[in-house]
Amino acid sequence: MRCCIDGLNLHPTSVHDAAVVLDTVTDRLLAAGDRRAAFTDVYGIVTRAVAAQVGRRDGMFLEPAWISRLAGRFCERYLQTLGWYDRGAAQDCGAWHIAYASTASRFTPPVQNALLGFSAHINYDLIFGIHATIVEFGHGADRAMLARLKHDHDQINTLLRASVIEALARLTARHGCPLSAFFLDNAPEVAVWVSMEMLSRWRERVWDDVLALLAARDGSERAALSRGIERRSTRIAQMLALPSLHQAPHTALRLLSRAA
C-alpha cells in the first residue's frame, strides 16, 4: 500500500525543508480525499510563517538557526507518526492514537481533526523536540541562552494568532468544514481568542515541561516525567475528541475553553 510520505525527505533539518515536505504531504492527502489533510494543511500555514521570519535579517527570532532546526525536528516527528499510521503500526502516545482515530470518521469536522493534530503535536511532540534541540545545541545549562530560546518559543504564539483566520478560511474552502465557516462568518474574533487561550496555555506548559526534563537528575526521573506528559496529552485529546464538539458552535466553544 502506498504511503503518503513515500519518496519524501523524512529527516528535515530546517524549517524550509519542513515547509516543502508538509506542502507535498497536504497535496497528496487532499488528492486522495484523506481527512488527515486538515491538520497538515493548517500546520503548513504556521510552518511557512516561521520560515518567512527565519529568512528575514530583521525577523522576530533571537536565535533563528535554533528555531529552524527545531521546526525540522518537529516535522520529522510528525512524519514518523504518519508512517506508523500508513503501515498500521501503533502510535507511541495516546494523543496521536486519538487524533488519527478521529480522521477515520466522516462525522468528525475538519477543524476537530486539525485541533486534535495540534494537541498531540504540541502537548506531546513539542516538549521532546525542544528538549532534544536544546541538548543538541549545548544550551541546557546556559540560563541566558535559555531565556533567549524562551523568547523565541513565545514569538511563535504571535505567528499562531496571525494564522487562525487563514486556517479557518483554508478549512472552509479546501476541506468543506461547516464549523470553521460558521466562526469565520459570525465570530472570527471569538475564534481567535479561544484558539489562542488554548494554544498559549498549552505552549507555556510545554516550556515548563522542557525545563523539568533538563533538570531531571537521571534517566528514571526523565522517564517518569515522560509518562506524565503522555498521560496529560492523552487526557486533553480525549476531551477534544468528545462527539459533542461538532454538534453546535456554542458547545464547541465551551469544550475548547475547558481543554485550555
Side-chain angles (χ1 to χ4, degrees), residues 82 154 178 200 245:
L82 280 173
D154 290 342
S200 60
L245 183 57

Side-chain angles (χ1 to χ4, degrees), residues 14-226:
S14 72
V15 67
H16 304 290
D17 291 344
V20 171
V21 172
L22 289 171
D23 283 348
T24 305
V25 171
T26 298
D27 289 343
R28 289 181 177 183
L29 293 176
L30 282 170
D34 193 315
R35 285 181 284 269
R36 290 178 293 170
F39 168 63
T40 310
D41 206 354
V42 177
Y43 180 17
I45 292 172
V46 180
T47 302
R48 286 190 295 276
V50 174
Q53 287 295 322
V54 165
R56 291 179 55 175
R57 298 185 65 178
D58 60 344
M60 61 170 54
F61 299 120
L62 300 177
E63 299 294 331
W66 184 84
I67 281 288
S68 183
R69 177 68 184 99
L70 172 60
R73 173 174 273 123
F74 199 35
C75 179
E76 180 179 13
R77 162 61 182 177
Y78 174 56
L79 296 173
Q80 182 182 46
T81 72
L82 280 173
W84 286 337
Y85 182 88
D86 279 347
R87 294 195 303 272
Q91 299 294 324
D92 61 357
C93 73
W96 273 120
H97 173 78
I98 292 168
Y100 283 121
S102 78
T103 65
S105 171
R106 63 186 179 87
F107 298 108
T108 307
V111 69
Q112 192 171 10
N113 286 330
L115 279 171
L116 283 163
F118 272 106
S119 176
H121 209 31
I122 292 173
N123 290 309
Y124 188 80
D125 299 346
L126 184 57
I127 298 164
F128 300 106
I130 292 176
H131 177 262
T133 310
I134 289 174
V135 172
E136 178 185 333
F137 276 64
H139 296 327
D142 187 337
R143 291 191 177 186
M145 180 57 74
L146 287 175
R148 290 173 66 85
L149 301 183
K150 176 59 162 60
H151 168 276
D152 287 357
H153 174 72
D154 290 342
Q155 288 294 87
I156 299 293
N157 291 346
T158 301
L159 299 180
L160 286 167
R161 182 182 298 277
S163 299
V164 172
I165 297 301
E166 183 180 355
L168 290 174
R170 184 73 60 87
L171 290 169
T172 299
R174 298 182 72 175
H175 304 272
C177 181
L179 197 56
S180 296
F182 174 86
F183 286 120
L184 192 62
D185 293 340
N186 298 282
E189 298 87 357
V190 174
V192 172
W193 183 85
V194 171
S195 298
M196 290 314 303
E197 278 291 298
M198 179 173 57
L199 293 171
S200 60
R201 290 184 189 183
W202 288 353
R203 289 175 52 78
E204 189 64 30
R205 191 181 298 135
V206 160
W207 194 260
D208 291 341
D209 287 333
V210 169
L211 295 181
L213 287 172
L214 289 171
R217 291 168 293 184
D218 52 37
S220 63
E221 191 169 324
R222 281 190 295 274
L225 288 167
S226 298

